[in-house]
Amino acid sequence: KVIVNGKDMKNKFVNSNYPTNKLIEAEAIRYLDIKLKNRSKLFRKNKKKLKLLVALDISKKIYEEQLKIVSELYEKKNYKIIICPHPVTASNLKISNHLSKLLTKVPFKKLLKLADIVITSNITVAAVDAYLSGLPVITFLGNDMLNFSPLRGKKNIKFASSVDEIEKYINHFLK
């Protein structure tokens, strides 16, 4: 049996011909205190720098790709970037000096209140947290990744595999 949280996940299993009698519906209680609201209105034209919150993946291969993207965004100096490591990898994270000052130990949930846009990896619950907080989300898909996001097709969710695509979607969210 498989526990699914919500209609979307249940529909994905059912559409994949998974036996419905083996599905158990449940709700994720971690989301009870998050109110869905559209915070994209927070963008102000007079803001000096947009705040990008980058939630790193648990996988070393993926978070290293994310850090390359962050480094390119940082060099452009158009954004205030906050890097939030995955809790499991936070203590072993190897990060270059110029990015280390962007790293925080503040819990992701608290950082959501500071962010304008959240950049996540493909397979993380952080994207759902950000989405439910009403923030625009850009999910980084590496060049060889399939899109497993439960947020595919949702409003204010974009998928990118390059810095150029990320910046295109940042501009899209600013309109």
Side-chain angles (χ1 to χ4, degrees), residues 83-105:
I83 300 172
C84 184
H86 190 282
V88 172
T89 59
S91 61
N92 300 328
L93 189 65
K94 305 248 187 301
I95 192 165
S96 62
N97 276 346
H98 76 286
L99 294 181
S100 64
K101 61 186 171 193
L102 308 177
L103 198 61
T104 185
K105 292 182 181 182

Side-chain angles (χ1 to χ4, degrees), residues 68-112:
K68 286 178 191 170
I69 296 286
V70 169
S71 185
E72 289 183 54
L73 289 169
Y74 178 72
E75 287 171 14
K76 295 177 185 253
K77 301 188 185 328
N78 295 335
Y79 313 105
K80 177 172 176 24
I81 300 172
I82 304 166
I83 300 172
C84 184
H86 190 282
V88 172
T89 59
S91 61
N92 300 328
L93 189 65
K94 305 248 187 301
I95 192 165
S96 62
N97 276 346
H98 76 286
L99 294 181
S100 64
K101 61 186 171 193
L102 308 177
L103 198 61
T104 185
K105 292 182 181 182
V106 175
F108 182 76
K109 190 173 178 180
K110 289 185 179 180
L111 294 171
L112 289 172

Side-chain angles (χ1 to χ4, degrees), residues 16-166:
S16 298
N17 295 321
Y18 195 87
T20 54
N21 63 335
K22 293 190 176 191
L23 295 176
I24 300 169
E25 290 184 64
E27 287 303 320
I29 60 172
R30 70 181 281 167
Y31 301 115
L32 291 178
D33 64 334
I34 297 177
K35 294 186 173 89
L36 181 59
K37 55 190 174 224
N38 185 349
R39 287 192 30 210
S40 61
K41 302 273 190 260
L42 294 179
F43 297 128
R44 285 172 260 158
K45 300 282 182 189
N46 62 354
K47 224 182 222 189
K48 288 186 179 176
K49 289 188 179 183
L50 255 137
K51 292 181 193 146
L52 304 179
L53 172 57
V54 180
L56 296 182
D57 197 84
I58 190 171
S59 159
K60 182 178 181 186
K61 177 184 179 229
I62 296 170
Y63 79 64
E64 284 176 346
E65 284 186 58
Q66 285 179 286
L67 288 172
K68 286 178 191 170
I69 296 286
V70 169
S71 185
E72 289 183 54
L73 289 169
Y74 178 72
E75 287 171 14
K76 295 177 185 253
K77 301 188 185 328
N78 295 335
Y79 313 105
K80 177 172 176 24
I81 300 172
I82 304 166
I83 300 172
C84 184
H86 190 282
V88 172
T89 59
S91 61
N92 300 328
L93 189 65
K94 305 248 187 301
I95 192 165
S96 62
N97 276 346
H98 76 286
L99 294 181
S100 64
K101 61 186 171 193
L102 308 177
L103 198 61
T104 185
K105 292 182 181 182
V106 175
F108 182 76
K109 190 173 178 180
K110 289 185 179 180
L111 294 171
L112 289 172
K113 295 175 182 159
L114 305 174
D116 293 312
I117 295 176
V118 179
I119 299 173
T120 68
S121 63
N122 185 14
I123 305 173
T124 180
V125 119
V128 176
D129 289 346
Y131 173 76
L132 291 175
S133 293
L135 288 166
V137 177
I138 300 172
T139 295
F140 173 71
L141 300 172
N143 293 328
D144 60 349
M145 290 183 200
L146 296 175
N147 188 347
F148 290 112
S149 174
L151 298 174
R152 262 190 350 225
K154 303 288 184 198
K155 186 179 177 184
N156 282 345
I157 306 293
K158 299 293 180 189
F159 300 92
S161 56
S162 69
V163 171
D164 291 339
E165 285 183 325
I166 288 172

